[in-house]
Amino acid sequence: MTARDTDWDGVRLHVVTGKGGTGKTTVAASLALALASGGRKVLLVEVEGRQGIAQIFDLPPLPYEERKIAVAPGGGDVYALAIDPEEAMLEYLEMFYGMRRAGRTLAKMGIVDFATTVAPGFRDVLVTGKTTEAVRRRGKNGKRVYDAVVLDAPPTGRVTRFLNVTQEVAGLARVGPIKNHSDLVSGVVKSPETAVHFVTVLEEMPVQETLDGITELRSAGLPAGGIFINMVRESLLPQATLDSAVKGRFDAGEIALGLKAAGLADGAGDASAVADALAAEVVEHARRTELEKTERASLMAAAVPCYELPLLADGVDLAGLYELAEAICTKGAA
């Protein structure tokens, strides 16, 4: 059984956040592929205007419409949507006020951009509203159009405010369509159908930001999902060797003897210099492994499922996305 079948049973909206540089968009894309595997239909949404989805799937910039971008492992389709706040606002004006033509005039005058700048909470309601509409949408047969929606959300430091739409629009409207719309969005975001996942790497700052983000999320009554520990390096040395290196008891002399025996050094001086360099690398690797162990323990203490994803040796490309998706499909929580 995988996380999709156990930890995420009943979850339809997967919100993915993380500190910059942790691979948030990469994990969101891989998660969408994993969720779609086996014949499902998943929508991958981005809201920051960076066209990150297009870049990672090696596609031209995405328009403001849902379109198929990938076939998942074992069948299944991934669709993508790059939400444009201005277009979302025009849809909103048409939906609630029948003002799409007037809205375009306002857009040309810069009023739409002004409104979403001075009232960022309203902008967040628009983009989260578009996402939650996709979660709720049903086809003519009465079934949900998408089996799941993955939202590549803003970074950890802003995600709680981004999702806590009811609080954010309280100063804008206490009654009327805006308030009703935000309540509808909030109903989805705070329900068991939603899980907010954090992406981190095993370094002090991203780990601490992840832990702070989970605490803030829980305080706001929002549902924490899991932690994706990204770019995990496998230890290349036995634990006994790592323990000796951390304690300063690692002997470079043994390396020098091994180099000479293997014919990889011309003389004693050459072997000694190479051995010292290799020993320094061993000590550095051991210390990093020990620090990663400490950070991993901190994450485990957060009492949410943790999923480890490997460091991609060849970097992030389309093949790498499928490799990560396969890891998500086959691994449960750590």
Side-chain angles (χ1 to χ4, degrees):
M1 299 289 282
T2 66
R4 185 181 73 178
D5 305 310
T6 54
D7 300 339
W8 307 333
D9 183 32
V11 175
R12 302 182 56 79
L13 174 58
H14 296 262
V15 180
V16 180
T17 185
K19 181 177 171 59
T22 59
K24 171 174 68 74
T25 298
T26 299
V27 172
S30 302
L31 178 59
L33 286 169
L35 291 169
S37 65
R40 299 187 181 192
K41 185 177 179 181
V42 173
L43 177 65
L44 175 60
V45 180
E46 70 173 357
V47 297
E48 295 183 277
R50 297 183 295 105
Q51 287 290 337
I53 293 175
Q55 293 174 29
I56 206 166
F57 280 96
D58 195 22
L59 298 169
L62 296 172
Y64 182 56
E65 63 181 40
E66 296 163 23
R67 58 171 52 184
K68 182 177 173 180
I69 61 167
V71 176
D77 297 323
V78 175
Y79 284 69
L81 172 65
I83 296 181
D84 177 79
E86 181 176 299
E87 288 294 332
M89 186 169 187
L90 294 176
E91 278 191 358
Y92 177 88
L93 291 173
E94 179 179 35
M95 184 183 304
F96 291 104
Y97 299 102
M99 291 175 58
R100 189 172 185 86
R101 181 176 297 179
R104 292 206 175 276
T105 301
L106 293 173
K108 290 179 181 178
M109 296 171 61
I111 300 301
V112 171
D113 187 53
F114 174 78
T116 56
T117 299
V118 299
F122 184 39
R123 178 189 183 281
D124 291 346
V125 168
L126 294 172
V127 295
T128 53
K130 182 68 177 176
T131 304
T132 54
E133 182 277 325
V135 174
R136 301 191 315 270
R137 192 188 313 157
R138 296 181 183 273
K140 293 181 179 179
N141 59 3
K143 295 183 178 180
R144 305 274 188 151
V145 172
Y146 293 106
D147 294 292
V149 176
V150 177
L151 172 59
D152 182 12
T156 308
R158 204 173 80 79
V159 72
T160 298
R161 183 175 178 180
F162 171 76
L163 294 172
N164 201 15
V165 291
T166 302
Q167 181 66 32
E168 290 302 308
V169 301
L172 296 175
R174 299 186 182 278
V175 295
I178 295 177
K179 177 64 164 58
N180 295 338
H181 185 56
S182 69
D183 287 345
L184 185 62
V185 172
S186 183
V188 174
V189 170
K190 292 189 175 183
S191 76
E193 285 192 316
T194 296
V196 183
H197 305 300
F198 291 79
V199 181
T200 188
V201 293
L202 291 173
E203 297 173 6
E204 183 177 359
M205 286 186 63
V207 166
Q208 188 58 55
E209 189 165 315
T210 296
L211 297 174
D212 292 343
I214 291 173
T215 299
E216 185 178 6
L217 199 74
R218 287 170 170 165
S219 296
L222 294 166
I227 300 172
F228 285 91
I229 306 173
N230 197 22
M231 303 185 229
V232 175
R233 305 176 182 87
E234 289 191 18
S235 179
L236 304 176
L237 297 169
Q239 189 60 48
T241 302
L242 295 175
D243 292 340
S244 295
V246 169
K247 295 174 183 177
R249 295 200 296 262
F250 187 74
D251 185 8
E254 293 184 14
I255 297 180
L257 291 174
L259 289 171
K260 290 173 66 176
L264 298 175
D266 295 332
D270 186 31
S272 179
V274 174
D276 287 343
L278 288 174
E281 290 291 333
V282 170
V283 171
E284 176 61 27
H285 176 71
R287 288 174 177 168
R288 187 178 68 235
T289 301
E290 192 69 17
L291 288 172
E292 289 178 350
K293 186 187 298 184
T294 300
E295 299 303 334
R296 184 182 282 107
S298 297
L299 292 171
M300 296 295 179
V304 297
C306 292
Y307 313 95
E308 297 199 5
L309 299 178
L311 176 68
L312 297 174
D314 297 324
V316 180
D317 56 14
L318 196 55
L321 290 182
Y322 280 89
E323 182 180 337
L324 293 179
E326 185 67 24
I328 294 172
C329 285
T330 56
K331 292 182 180 180

